[in-house]
Amino acid sequence: MEELLRTTDITLIPLAQTLLDEAGIDSFELDVNMSVLEGSIGILPRRLMVPRDQLARARHVLWEYGVKFET
């Protein structure tokens, strides 16, 4: 698995996962429990991972839909 994106925006991960699911790309969210431990402050980023061989395609899918993010 490779990191596709890292964000503190709680709406970005579900959006990206939905778009990737529709494109048939598997994804896995990391650091969910860490963000729960911090409370609702939102300072710890979550990461979205995709299979290494689908990373370029996943980036393209998000780019097509105008999803802006930093890795």
Side-chain angles (χ1 to χ4, degrees):
M1 298 291 266
E2 294 287 328
E3 183 178 313
L4 174 63
L5 64 91
R6 179 185 305 227
T7 184
T8 57
D9 181 347
I10 62 169
T11 63
L12 187 57
I13 298 274
L15 171 63
Q17 285 182 309
T18 299
L19 295 173
L20 295 173
D21 285 346
E22 289 177 2
I25 300 172
D26 295 326
S27 63
F28 184 77
E29 184 179 358
L30 292 179
D31 307 316
V32 176
N33 292 332
M34 291 303 294
S35 61
V36 169
L37 290 174
E38 72 165 339
S40 60
I41 299 172
I43 58 170
L44 296 176
R46 293 182 182 186
R47 295 177 287 166
L48 187 62
M49 311 296 281
V50 295
R52 179 176 291 143
D53 62 337
Q54 296 181 341
L55 182 60
R57 186 166 159 241
R59 286 181 177 154
H60 182 73
V61 166
L62 297 185
W63 175 81
E64 272 186 326
Y65 285 94
V67 177
K68 298 188 186 325
F69 61 92
E70 294 182 28
T71 54

